[in-house]
Amino acid sequence: GQSLEQPSEVTAVEGAIVQINCTYQTSGFYGLSWYQQHDGGAPTFLSYNALDGLEETGRFSSFLSRSDSYGYLLLQELQMKDSASYFCAVTGGFKTIFGAGTRLFVKA
Amino acid sequence: DGGITQSPKYLFRKEGQNVTLSCEQNLNHDAMYWYRQDPGQGLRLIYYSQIVNDFQKGDIAEGYSVSREKKESFPLTVTSAQKNPTAFYLCASKEGGRAGNQPQHFGDGTRLSIL
């Protein structure tokens, strides 16, 4: 079967750094993606890792370890607008499987 | 601007009724997807299509049907066989191919409720 595990909720303060972990079990793996979704809105793409290591895009970084079937999203200099749900997603072939999402609450 | 348009934004279904959700994209993407999202949950794949006139069942296809007669359009019909249709439905598209480095672009969704 295919499954992704990520924490259901994370709370952090403005200006801090937060890490959202994702472990996966899939048949067929091309890469790990991260999406952000604000309440009532559409998911938007944040990052993609196909190879082991860290990818940095502005305040957001994403890490992948294929041997551990593990990745994380790192958000730095948190802002109130970062309060949203974050989904990890595994692409294997033509399908993309999404995790249940991590709700991030950023406090002032 | 290129993008994905879903309509309507809100839809109400009566018992025993079939309803169709529209999804149109002008991104010239080959692949299109339909997802269902329940409150506080992730996205579950209903159907996907890699090319015109071809589509595949996802993980929760029962009670749904799709067509892909044009590259730009991928409508989803929620049939009366779907006994719990209340959810947020998201349509997505991406460039073709198996690699995951092309992101999926999502529409703004349709919120379906039972009357």
Side-chain angles (χ1 to χ4, degrees), chain A residues 35-94:
Chain A
Y35 288 80
Q36 178 193 60
Q37 185 182 32
H38 287 98
D39 281 348
T44 56
F45 174 80
L46 293 176
S47 69
Y48 173 75
N49 295 67
L51 303 175
D52 287 358
L54 192 68
E55 295 280 343
E56 297 182 62
T57 309
R59 294 188 296 115
F60 294 178
S61 302
S62 57
F63 171 83
L64 175 66
S65 168
R66 294 176 67 124
S67 60
D68 295 322
S69 297
Y70 164 76
Y72 65 72
L73 179 69
L74 193 73
L75 296 84
Q76 303 181 70
E77 301 172 18
L78 279 175
Q79 301 174 10
M80 298 299 290
K81 67 178 182 179
D82 296 329
S83 292
S85 293
Y86 293 83
F87 296 90
C88 58
V90 166
T91 299
F94 293 114

Side-chain angles (χ1 to χ4, degrees), chain A residues 35 37 42 45 48 93-94 96, chain B residues 33 37 50 98 100-101 103-104 107:
Chain A
Y35 288 80
Q37 185 182 32
F45 174 80
Y48 173 75
F94 293 114
T96 297
Chain B
Y33 305 81
Q37 187 175 33
Q50 295 302 309
R98 292 174 177 264
N101 58 338
Q104 292 197 15

Side-chain angles (χ1 to χ4, degrees), chain A residues 30 33 35 37 40-43 45 48 87 91 93-100, chain B residues 33 35 37 41-43 45 48 50 59 88 90 98 100-101 103-104 106-107 111:
Chain A
Y30 283 81
S33 302
Y35 288 80
Q37 185 182 32
F45 174 80
Y48 173 75
F87 296 90
T91 299
F94 293 114
K95 292 170 60 173
T96 297
I97 305 299
F98 287 80
Chain B
Y33 305 81
Y35 294 93
Q37 187 175 33
Q41 307 277 325
L43 283 68
L45 183 63
Y48 63 103
Q50 295 302 309
D59 301 315
F88 188 45
L90 287 157
R98 292 174 177 264
N101 58 338
Q104 292 197 15
F106 286 84
R111 205 165 290 278

Side-chain angles (χ1 to χ4, degrees), chain B residues 24-83:
Chain B
E24 303 278 331
Q25 56 102 354
N26 60 4
L27 298 166
N28 200 34
H29 286 168
D30 289 312
M32 296 187 75
Y33 305 81
W34 273 106
Y35 294 93
R36 170 180 171 140
Q37 187 175 33
D38 293 283
Q41 307 277 325
L43 283 68
R44 291 187 290 166
L45 183 63
I46 305 173
Y47 270 97
Y48 63 103
S49 168
Q50 295 302 309
I51 55 172
V52 175
N53 292 322
D54 185 55
F55 49 82
Q56 306 294 328
K57 291 182 180 180
D59 301 315
I60 55 165
E62 186 173 349
Y64 301 97
S65 66
V66 294
S67 62
R68 187 86 187 276
E69 297 176 0
K70 299 186 298 182
K71 188 175 186 178
E72 315 81 63
S73 179
F74 191 41
L76 173 74
T77 297
V78 184
T79 74
S80 57
Q82 173 48 248
K83 297 307 179 189

